[in-house]
């Protein structure tokens, strides 16, 4: 029996039929719009009262979130009581904060420090639901999971959920500069308003931390990997500390990037040599100071000796020397170093795809215990498709963490709809074969395969000052999916998409199914209209906006698209087998054998690993040239189909978000066509082969595409 | 009798007691929250039905705005009818769009093309209200005026309002770059998302145009005066045209800035000489092209031969040659040139305050009919206080338009509360005495004094991507006040503040009175804690954030604070009387005589015009040195008082806006103290005089203030 007064229920029903707030995407997936309780009666039967607990700020946040979510979804506030008095009570807390929970046989030892149990129980003979964890933040994660059940209309009467994160450090890397420019950011400025910090704590900081906690993200690297020493000065530490204070109740720790030459720039030293005692003393003092500002500071992310950044090699030291020096100063405080393996050098003629492996594998086992090596998913740089990095599996004595890119530097910026979870999943599920079949990348980074004591996954954030946070509504799904996969690398990209669609847009099956299908195919569409068949890095110089496969005159060879595609009169592709750069040999023998043989290499990676004749027959029966054009056309057609899918959803989604998605898809179709036409025009100028029957000639001559210039494309480095 | 059903009224009353939307400032002054109809019964008695008209998009916008405003304020939709059927009808339109209005004796010839009449009338014996204009946009302006009456709770039964703008071109100048950086912008990025234009028309563009129309602004210069020729390329004209399409129904025309060297940069010409036929032909073709994209394009704003910008003097031509060349190409399309008089040169040793007059007055009468000279309010650069520019009144044969700064480059950025209308008013009311007493600056720029055929007023916009548009809630008032004063330069800054407070926050008299008083004193507080007694330009180099009176080593003399204050062991101030630079002689004789004599110069401009002994007695009886310290202290104390005033308003305003204003005032107090301490420390190091009794010593030694550095202050040029 629902004890809320009838007038309140009526009021709720009526009020909620009025527009409550603009549908501008600010709510993200935490969109607690009213459910129809006739279709989803569990909402009222299972949620009659919320049993409060007292304790930390984190528990207060969990309680407020549950109250807010339930009020939104049911249309009326839930009664908050000190002890359960009827059926339909919702309890939450830890054994320490709740005597009732302490008395339940929940076997909480299974969920570790951050996990939780959600279970249907009986309290004094009444059906109830309990959300319990060993820590307050575990309870908060459980609360968000419980709300997700409501948002996606799950049954609530026989709950028995046990969840714990598989990865310890689940981080967002913000490539945000102190002037609020976001490198590779396509959603406005940095949300960190450094100038007004610490005096003004924008409520958006709280909403950011809340969104992170809702998907299990527990750390935030505030600053760009192309680091600025100024972020380590007292004025900026005070600002970072203010953010840490806002994030703390949500279980989100603050990390910073360290510029390796900071001892020179800030300390006035002559050197940044990691073995120089003065340098070590400087870092120790600086790190001790950081912990005075931020007692739970997480540690440093470091990009060193890469793309012009300073590093230990400037002093003939190696990456381990550099990382261990910082690690030694961080260790007493519990801090860690995340040292990036994204290194390559224009002075090194070795295949760029090989360089990280060549530099890091010899250092396996040489890093301090509180160092993680952060490895990008592929050997080059966040392309629409790359094979997994050969480092995964190759450093059993050194914990490797994953670096994914959530922001779409190479996948159409904010206007292209590309759901990235299938890309993440493809990498996590990839089999390194390092210890036999099933040695997946996921098992490397979650520590199972090599017994890593420290584990992590980072995503380069797509969060900015745009009202909808991520630049587009659908890009929010990539933030969401990253968090979910960092919690559970075996989660299904399709299931995550379905959760997200239901939470963000609608539970209407007529909406959910086609929109999830559209998302699931979207990344492959980008691959096809940008870089099919294993091609990579054909994007415009610097900004990476639009096609420029013709570029071959940049001073750094590995910045030229021509370096990657190597198209000539005979064929196309980068030969990385034994007759070429032999990058394939960096994989474990069985994988190497497969990639080394063009016949065994999957077609979707063919041109990554091999230079192939234009006339080679493909699985389809087409020649490679015809297949390439076909793929480009297929990519464009896929976007057209996405538009049709979306346009058919008019009326099933609010007009405001419908219009933006529709407009962005129109831009995407136009730009997919541009990609296709420019690439086909260019490659045809090299292959000298006729277009296959039925393929339309490019809309403009090649020179037209070459002449286009985009000096103000967003997100520049 | 109110014919809306009771249940609807009840529902409205109840629903509106729930939080309808976040109070984040996005609504600006167009905040149509429900009024208590018992306290303001006119809402229901006078507004029973809205009589619709058909016609232009502009009339549709006016109708939608009236319906939206009335629904918000009354809590229920107003009936929309084709013909009035009862008392309380609201009619709007032009004589062309409405037969009823055509039949009324409204004497619309009084209101010109953009004005309106709002009058209580009888229709078929029933009391009604009519909003009428000669043009659709006049009706729209009238609709906004009418809604303002409702928002500020005015009586509606005996309306007889006649209004027409005194100034023709009422413009916002956006100093927005194509990469979305806003020069001197303190409210996020540019709202023009060039990269996504024209494919995506952000609804914010519509809301911008609506806000502009609500205060009578009829033009928008989209791009920075430090101009980029790329904005004149087809790709960008297509984007600008898309914005023009959004703005058009709101009566807002698009203008652009013209980079004088564009014929070289875009056209490949060797010269940009305005008398070169090839250059003239290039501009003509380019301007013809602009009008193909934007048929109602307003024209160009030009900064030439100033601060490094190219201009006609590069070819030994003068400003008139340059302006007239562009004007000739614009004239056939009805476009205008706004040529800035903000010129000064490091190669010119003449007092910077004199240079604009010296360059422009000799050109009086030499400009084409469609040229306006845009003159900053003061002779230097948007300081907290300057005397009016001596150009006003000195160019009777050349229309001068006013350039105010709405963004607070020199008045504390977005975090300091400084209501600028008293500054604008002080300048508009200043008496040039050029044609006897009462020859105010307002009468110069509205054309009355010299019979200008073209008139204009521009405000450098403070609009950005921040959710609240202007960076702070109170900075919205400066946008609002600028528009109101451009419409009527004789309007009262106090009355405007009262309107704004009522529309934006509350009609509660306990709120309105103290908050308006706080606003009215706020600019003077900034003058006192930054640049009292006629001091100017003591701000930090480049960014203009914070005090730096000690700077004296910059290569351009007139960029040094020391150039302006000229403090030495004997005294302080810039001698501009006959014994000094004789800038006073640029004013009309009676004004010149007053400014030339230190005894007659108003104390608030004393150090602008005179170098004065530290021991000079002031009106207060204090020495100048003691008075200076007193003024700085007074400024800080005034901010403390503003904080007390605001803190007492807790509960009278929503928590969200209350908190931000309170936090910003705390920052302002801290920074006011910093200004006072740094300036007192510095000037004391020069005056060598003891602090007056009771004055606290600065918190830190002078070196501390000198060492502060702000490399990432926002808004840099």
């Amino acid at each position: 029996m629902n004890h809320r007064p009838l007038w309140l229920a009526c009021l709720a029903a009526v009020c909620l039929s009025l527009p409550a707030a603009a549908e501008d995407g600010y709510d993200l997936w935490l969109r607690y719009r009213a459910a129809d309780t006739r279709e989803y009666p569990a909402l009222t039967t299972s949620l009659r009262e919320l049993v409060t607990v007292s304790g930390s700020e984190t528990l207060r946040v969990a309680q407020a979130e549950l109250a807010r979510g339930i009020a939104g979804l049911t249309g009326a506030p839930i009664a908050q009581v000190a002890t359960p008095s009827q059926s339909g009570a919702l309890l939450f807390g830890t054994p320490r904060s709740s005597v009732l929970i302490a008395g339940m046989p929940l076997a909480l030892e299974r969920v570790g420090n951050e996990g939780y149990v959600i279970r249907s129980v009986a309290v004094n003979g009444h059906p109830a639901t309990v959300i319990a964890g060993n820590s307050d933040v575990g309870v908060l994660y459980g609360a968000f999971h419980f709300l997700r059940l409501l948002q996606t209309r799950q049954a609530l009467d026989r709950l028995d959920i046990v969840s714990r994160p598989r990865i310890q450090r689940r981080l967002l890397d913000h490539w945000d500069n102190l002037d609020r420019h976001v490198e590779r950011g396509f959603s406005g400025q940095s949300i960190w308003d450094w100038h007004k910090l610490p005096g003004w704590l924008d409520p958006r900081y709280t909403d950011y931390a809340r969104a992170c906690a809702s998907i299990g993200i527990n750390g935030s690297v505030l600053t760009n990997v192309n680091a600025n020493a100024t972020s380590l000065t007292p004025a900026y530490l005070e600002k970072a500390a203010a953010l840490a204070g806002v994030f703390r109740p949500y279980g989100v720790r603050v990390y910073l990037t360290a510029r390796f030459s900071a001892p020179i720039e800030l300390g006035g030293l002559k050197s940044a040599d990691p073995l120089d005692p003065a340098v070590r003393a400087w870092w120790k003092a600086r790190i001790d100071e950081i912990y005075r500002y931020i007692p739970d500071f997480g540690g440093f992310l470091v990009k060193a000796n890469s793309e012009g950044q300073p590093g230990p090699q400037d002093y003939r030291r190696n990456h381990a020397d550099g990382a261990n020096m910082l690690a030694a100063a961080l260790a007493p405080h519990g801090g860690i170093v995340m040292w990036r393996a994204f290194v390559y050098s224009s002075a090194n003629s070795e295949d760029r795809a090989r360089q990280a492996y060549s530099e890091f594998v010899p250092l396996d086992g040489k890093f301090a215990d509180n160092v993680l090596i952060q490895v990008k998913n592929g050997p080059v740089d966040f392309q629409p498709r790359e094979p997994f990095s050969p480092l995964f599996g190759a450093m059993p004595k050194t914990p490797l963490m994953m670096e994914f890119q959530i922001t779409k530097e190479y996948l159409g910026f904010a206007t292209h709809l590309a759901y990235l979870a299938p890309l993440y999943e493809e990498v996590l599920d990839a089999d390194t074969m390092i210890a036999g079949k099933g040695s997946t990348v996921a098992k490397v980074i979650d520590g199972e395969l090599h017994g890593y004591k420290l584990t992590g996954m980072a995503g380069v954030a797509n969060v900015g000052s745009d009202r909808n946070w991520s630049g587009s509504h659908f890009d929010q799904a990539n933030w969401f999916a990253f968090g979910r996969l960092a919690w559970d690398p075996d989660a299904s990209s399709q299931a995550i998409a379905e959760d997200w669609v239901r939470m963000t847009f609608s539970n209407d099956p007529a909406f959910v199914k086609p929109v999830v299908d559209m998302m699931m195919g979207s990344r492959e569409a980008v691959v096809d209209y940008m870089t099919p068949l294993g091609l990579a890095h054909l994007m415009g110089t610097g900004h990476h906006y639009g096609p420029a496969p013709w570029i071959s005159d940049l001073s750094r060879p590995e910045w030229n698209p021509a370096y990657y595609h190597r198209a000539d009169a005979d064929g196309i592709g980068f030969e990385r087998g034994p007759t070429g750069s032999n990058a394939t040999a960096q994989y474990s023998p069985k994988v190497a054998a497969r990639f080394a043989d063009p016949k065994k290499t999957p077609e979707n990676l063919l041109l990554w690993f091999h230079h192939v004749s234009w006339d080679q027959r493909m699985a389809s029966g087409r020649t490679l040239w015809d297949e390439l054009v076909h793929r480009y056309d297929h990519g464009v057609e896929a976007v057209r189909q996405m538009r049709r899918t979306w346009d058919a959803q008019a009326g099933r989604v609010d007009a405001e978000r419908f219009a933006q998605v529709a407009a962005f898809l129109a831009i995407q179709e136009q730009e997919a066509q541009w990609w296709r036409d420019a690439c086909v025009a260019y490659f045809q100028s090299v292959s000298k082969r006729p277009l296959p029957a039925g393929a339309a000639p490019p809309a403009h001559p090649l020179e037209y595409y070459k002449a286009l210039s985009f000096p103000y494309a967003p997100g520049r480095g």
Side-chain angles (χ1 to χ4, degrees), chain A:
Chain A
M1 182 54 224
N2 186 335
H3 287 253
R4 269 172 268 143
L6 182 63
W7 71 264
L8 195 61
C10 289
L11 163 66
V14 174
C15 280
L16 292 158
S17 69
L18 295 176
E23 289 284 11
D24 54 21
Y26 186 82
D27 288 345
L28 295 165
W29 49 84
L30 300 172
R31 193 167 159 281
Y32 303 131
R33 295 291 195 279
D36 183 332
T37 51
R38 287 163 307 182
E39 287 174 21
Y40 186 47
L43 262 187
T44 43
T45 54
S46 296
L47 293 170
R48 290 194 176 128
E49 57 190 25
L50 180 63
V51 183
T52 60
V53 293
S54 59
S56 68
E57 187 69 4
T58 299
L59 286 177
R60 196 197 57 73
V61 162
Q63 180 171 322
E65 191 72 31
L66 288 167
R68 173 181 178 168
I70 294 166
L73 287 156
T74 62
I78 185 169
Q80 305 202 13
V81 298
T83 50
S85 67
Q86 57 174 320
S87 72
L90 177 62
L91 295 86
F92 68 98
T94 61
R96 279 182 310 286
S97 58
S98 163
V99 175
L100 280 169
I101 288 171
M104 293 179 186
L106 297 168
L108 282 173
E109 65 283 357
R110 296 172 296 173
V111 303
N113 192 44
E114 293 186 296
Y116 51 84
V117 165
I118 304 175
R119 191 183 297 173
S120 300
V121 295
V123 176
N124 300 331
H126 294 303
T129 308
V130 63
I131 304 168
N134 294 309
S135 68
D136 294 345
V137 78
V139 176
L140 179 61
Y141 292 144
F144 278 113
H145 188 138
F146 181 73
L147 288 166
R148 188 163 83 225
L149 300 176
L150 308 186
Q151 288 176 279
T152 57
R153 310 291 187 264
Q154 307 301 303
L156 301 179
D157 51 346
R158 292 179 184 198
L159 295 173
D160 187 12
I161 292 168
V162 178
S163 188
R164 63 184 297 176
R166 290 252 308 273
I167 309 252
Q168 296 161 18
R169 309 277 174 149
R170 304 175 302 277
L171 309 184
L172 290 186
D173 290 357
H174 292 266
W175 288 357
D176 292 14
N177 293 339
L178 302 184
D179 65 358
R180 299 188 74 179
H181 175 73
V182 181
E183 185 166 336
R184 311 310 172 185
F186 310 105
S187 48
Q189 292 181 293
S190 172
I191 62 170
W192 321 134
D193 188 353
W194 294 109
H195 183 72
K196 297 199 194 80
L197 281 167
W200 168 235
L201 297 174
D202 192 323
R204 191 155 188 158
Y205 304 148
T206 306
D207 292 332
Y208 163 83
R210 175 176 163 253
C212 284
S214 77
I215 50 176
I217 288 170
N218 66 5
S220 177
V221 184
L222 302 178
T223 48
N224 193 350
V225 286
N226 292 319
N228 185 327
T230 303
S231 61
L232 305 179
T233 58
Y236 279 84
L237 293 176
E238 194 183 348
K239 297 168 191 280
L243 290 174
V246 174
F247 299 171
R248 195 166 288 118
Y250 295 88
V252 177
R253 289 167 79 180
V254 155
Y255 297 72
L256 292 170
T257 48
R259 183 161 165 88
F260 203 78
S261 54
I264 300 171
E265 291 152 15
L266 298 183
L269 303 188
K270 296 231 168 79
S271 163
D273 181 347
L275 301 191
D276 180 334
V279 171
R280 300 176 74 87
W282 186 88
W283 276 112
K284 181 173 185 320
R286 184 63 44 153
I287 285 167
D288 290 348
E289 182 181 45
I290 292 175
Y291 280 92
R292 286 194 294 275
Y293 282 98
I294 310 171
D296 56 354
F297 178 65
F300 284 140
L301 171 63
V302 186
K303 175 178 179 177
N305 292 124
S306 173
E307 299 186 315
Q309 293 296 312
Q313 294 174 350
D314 303 346
Y315 307 94
R316 298 170 182 252
R317 313 299 181 189
N318 64 33
H319 288 293
D321 295 328
N324 293 345
M325 183 246 323
L326 295 172
L330 287 159
H333 303 286
I336 65 167
V337 172
M338 296 171 289
W339 192 271
R340 287 175 100 226
F342 176 69
V343 296
Y344 64 96
S345 163
S346 58
N348 186 347
S349 62
E350 186 179 9
D351 175 6
R352 174 173 166 185
R354 290 179 50 105
Q355 294 185 31
Y357 181 102
S358 297
E359 280 201 48
F360 276 86
V361 169
L363 297 174
D364 188 26
K366 304 255 165 70
F367 290 93
D369 287 347
N370 59 332
V371 176
L372 276 159
I373 303 301
Q374 182 167 305
V375 182
K376 288 190 183 181
N377 58 276
V380 170
D381 193 14
F382 299 138
Q383 296 303 299
R385 170 167 280 119
E386 298 185 39
F388 66 92
S389 167
L391 278 165
F392 295 114
M395 294 185 71
K397 291 181 275 181
T398 306
L400 304 184
M401 67 184 285
M402 175 65 76
E403 180 176 348
F404 283 128
Q405 198 175 46
I406 307 172
T407 187
K408 302 207 312 298
E409 173 180 357
Y410 294 100
L411 287 104
F413 294 7
T415 43
H416 294 212
L417 196 165
Y419 175 54
L420 298 183
L423 185 163
Y424 305 154
E425 187 176 47
E426 178 177 299
V427 175
L428 292 167
D429 290 351
D431 197 340
T432 70
M433 303 286 280
I434 205 80
K437 207 160 154 54
S439 304
T440 61
V441 171
K443 287 186 182 167
V444 174
I445 64 155
D446 76 1
E448 182 182 331
L449 205 60
H450 304 309
Y452 293 159
K453 297 225 175 76
L454 201 54
T455 57
M457 190 187 290
V460 180
N462 67 353
V463 169
S465 64
D466 275 1
R467 182 67 184 167
N468 66 19
W469 298 89
S470 300
S472 80
H473 297 295
F474 275 88
D475 277 323
Q476 297 177 351
N478 295 326
W479 180 10
F480 180 82
F482 168 78
R484 295 286 301 277
L485 285 166
W487 184 277
D488 176 8
D490 286 337
S492 137
S493 63
Q494 166 122 12
I496 293 170
E498 186 169 328
D499 274 355
W500 179 82
V501 166
R502 289 176 178 275
M503 296 164 81
T504 305
F505 282 114
S506 170
N507 281 283
D508 179 352
F511 182 88
V512 175
K513 171 80 170 64
V515 172
V516 168
D517 288 350
M518 173 180 78
M519 291 171 72
M520 289 303 294
S522 60
R523 176 261 189 151
E524 205 64 40
V526 176
V527 170
D528 279 347
Y529 65 71
M530 286 190 186
T531 52
L533 299 170
L535 288 173
H537 223 307
L538 306 184
M539 293 77 184
T541 305
H543 48 65
H544 300 158
Y545 173 64
W550 45 81
I551 301 285
S552 62
D553 58 354
L554 304 177
S555 62
R556 291 189 68 148
E558 76 285 0
W559 283 355
N560 286 295
Y563 174 93
Y564 295 96
H565 65 67
R566 310 211 161 191
D568 57 27
D570 298 326
I572 182 171
F574 194 131
E575 184 54 55
R576 290 188 164 109
T579 65
S581 76
N582 206 20
T584 53
Q586 292 181 333
Y587 291 93
S588 70
K590 286 194 177 157
V591 176
R594 185 154 53 92
F595 288 161
D597 181 349
K599 293 197 189 65
K600 294 185 189 156
T601 305
E603 274 194 3
N604 65 17
L605 288 171
L606 183 63
L607 304 181
W608 180 278
F609 284 117
H610 299 288
H611 191 76
V612 180
S613 160
W614 294 114
D615 302 321
Q616 176 75 42
R617 284 286 152 193
M618 305 293 285
S620 63
R622 300 181 191 100
T623 64
L624 171 61
W625 165 247
D626 285 2
E627 182 69 18
L628 185 72
V629 178
H630 172 76
R631 284 277 136 209
Y632 274 111
D633 277 327
H634 188 265
V636 178
E637 179 52 36
V639 179
R640 276 198 202 104
Q641 183 53 48
M642 286 161 68
R643 288 191 69 185
R644 284 191 287 269
T645 297
W646 185 255
D647 289 348
Q649 299 308 320
R652 295 204 185 94
V653 57
D654 54 280
E656 199 173 347
R657 289 186 295 172
F658 179 81
Q660 190 184 75
V661 173
F664 281 18
L665 282 168
I667 291 171
Q668 184 175 6
E669 185 188 333
Q670 199 170 38
E671 295 190 347
Q673 187 72 52
W674 165 37
W675 263 98
R676 179 270 182 201
D677 283 353
C679 290
V680 167
Y682 170 71
F683 289 127
Q684 190 177 27
S685 77
V686 180
S687 79
K688 315 280 189 200
R689 277 152 177 83
L691 291 179
H700 301 278
L702 178 57
E703 292 311 312
Y704 168 87
Y705 301 105
K706 287 187 173 182
L708 295 174
S709 141
F710 304 95
Y712 307 106
R716 299 170 144 260

